[in-house]
Amino acid sequence: MAGRWDQFGVGIAGAGVIGQVHAAALERVPGARLLAVTDTVPEAARALADRHGADIAGSVDELVARHDIEVVILATPSGLHADQAVMALGAGAHVVTEKPMAIDLAGLDRMVGAAHDARLHLAVMFQTRFQPDALRLKRAVAAGLFGRPVAGNAIVHWHRTQAYYDASGGWRGTQAMDGGGALMNQGIHTIDLLQWILGPVERVSAETATLAHRMETEDTATAALRFRNGALGTIQGTTAAATDRPVRVEIVGTTGRAVLEGGVLVVWEPERNVPAAELLDDTDRAMSDGWAPDEPMGAGHARQLGRIFAALAELGGIPPVPGHEARAAVEIILAIYESARTGQRVTLPSADGEESGPPS
């Protein structure tokens, strides 16, 4: 595909809120030029295309058939991601998809396999990884600054109205198009952070419930975890809270603890206090440059997209976060759903997968 920083033509599938976020973010990314937009609602596609000087494609098939589209961004309902990603990769385009990358294990496998077979890249938007304090916490855990990890918790207490679930054709909170509720749609970023920082989850025991909404899937869930390193943990997510609260990731070790709340370390008690400048490398600083706790929606997208396109421009570069990595959070959520459905403890499949970028 493109070999120079200024040669990436981009197509966006989905002109809703997230599609609009991506389109605006691309204007801040050197080397990315939005060429076409498609949506099942033609008026939405027209409005977004006109706003950014792009063309309209009548369908995803038509979008990926364009020879000048080298990167396809999927901002469509989650249940469509697997088919659309495989289609785009088969047409010769790299794929950037919103979370979750897919809503079932078969979809995860198809996407990663298609990227590998096509020798193209599949990247997933997990922009909260690029907060400087999240990176600092990950590096500190890896460096043993909290001793042996013994506990890790992810907490997401948010509010969503019934109108939220009823809007946009009512796909949110459905099994077919959303793949779940409070965890698969809202909690997945924080679940990804927890497993990214503390390591792979080995097994889960869980309960889910629908307590405050008319919807097919859960608006509240809680799970007990055992990590592969022996640590224990919990996940709690809800969209039935009275108000939104900042998400929390809590890490407890034998010699210290830390709490990341709303992207900021509000508790920092390592065994020894290593300055952030010594924990973060140049790549970390580049990925988190410009972050602010009160930054507007889309700033994180622009930051990760910038790193994605920079990697695409490098021979052998792998964009963050590749599909084989991003699947871990979905696997955890699917295991939680299975445990809640069966009443049994569920062991996760291996989180190890093949490289989703071009093989060496």
Side-chain angles (χ1 to χ4, degrees):
M1 301 301 293
R4 285 178 48 204
W5 179 234
D6 58 352
Q7 291 183 334
F8 290 103
V10 183
I12 295 179
V17 172
I18 294 300
Q20 295 169 37
V21 167
H22 276 275
L26 286 172
E27 294 189 342
R28 300 169 56 183
V29 177
R33 187 161 67 96
L34 179 60
L35 298 181
V37 176
T38 189
D39 195 278
T40 55
V41 179
E43 297 79 9
R46 168 61 65 189
L48 185 57
D50 287 350
R51 197 176 311 141
H52 295 279
D55 300 332
I56 294 176
S59 65
V60 176
D61 304 64
E62 184 179 320
L63 184 78
V64 303
R66 288 183 50 149
H67 296 299
D68 56 350
I69 299 293
E70 299 168 296
V71 180
V72 172
I73 293 176
L74 299 180
T76 49
S78 307
L80 301 175
H81 290 173
D83 286 346
Q84 292 174 343
V86 170
M87 182 191 309
L89 291 160
H94 301 290
V95 170
V96 177
T97 180
E98 269 296 328
K99 55 75 187 170
M101 60 182 283
I103 61 172
D104 55 35
L105 294 176
L108 298 175
D109 290 339
R110 288 172 57 215
M111 294 171 75
V112 173
H116 181 272
D117 292 346
R119 301 178 66 85
L120 294 167
H121 289 288
L122 166 65
V124 182
M125 296 303 297
F126 275 128
Q127 66 272 14
T128 55
R129 288 191 182 194
F130 308 116
Q131 300 163 341
D133 276 4
L135 285 159
R136 184 184 183 194
L137 179 55
K138 177 175 172 61
R139 305 307 177 212
V141 170
L145 296 187
F146 304 102
R148 178 180 178 178
V150 297
N153 306 310
I155 303 166
V156 181
H157 293 170
W158 282 356
H159 175 77
R160 293 294 182 270
T161 65
Q162 185 62 44
Y164 168 85
Y165 288 105
D166 294 341
S168 302
W171 68 269
R172 296 189 183 98
T174 66
Q175 190 60 52
M177 286 293 104
D178 213 359
L183 295 189
M184 190 67 88
N185 195 317
Q186 283 76 32
I188 189 168
H189 280 294
T190 312
I191 293 168
D192 176 68
L193 280 182
L194 179 64
Q195 67 82 30
W196 180 62
I197 291 167
L198 205 52
V201 172
E202 184 175 276
R203 59 180 181 260
V204 305
S205 299
E207 294 280 353
T208 64
T210 309
L211 302 176
H213 298 95
R214 296 184 305 278
M215 56 190 289
E216 184 180 1
T217 58
E218 88 290 348
D219 65 10
T220 305
T222 188
L225 318 175
R226 177 178 286 276
F227 292 86
R228 197 175 296 172
N229 62 13
L232 303 181
T234 62
I235 291 170
Q236 186 175 84
T238 184
T239 56
T243 59
D244 285 357
R245 298 294 303 166
V247 300
R248 289 172 63 92
V249 173
E250 303 172 345
I251 303 296
V252 180
T254 53
T255 61
R257 70 186 186 107
V259 176
L260 185 72
E261 184 174 283
V264 176
L265 283 164
V266 296
V267 175
W268 181 250
E269 300 172 357
E271 176 182 341
R272 51 191 176 86
N273 198 13
V274 177
E278 295 181 22
L279 283 173
L280 304 183
D281 60 22
D282 290 343
T283 300
D284 294 336
R285 283 185 281 272
M287 288 195 299
S288 61
D289 183 52
W291 182 84
D294 57 351
E295 67 184 14
M297 182 179 181
H301 283 72
R303 192 174 296 112
Q304 185 177 350
L305 286 170
R307 301 306 302 170
I308 288 171
F309 280 90
L312 292 179
E314 298 170 5
L315 184 63
I318 299 176
V321 177
H324 72 276
E325 254 189 62
R327 67 179 295 150
V330 179
E331 288 181 350
I332 293 168
I333 293 168
L334 291 174
I336 289 171
Y337 290 162
E338 179 68 9
S339 176
R341 184 184 69 82
T342 63
Q344 302 294 315
R345 184 169 59 188
V346 172
T347 299
L348 274 73
S350 172
D352 296 329
E354 292 186 326
E355 177 61 62
S356 66
S360 57

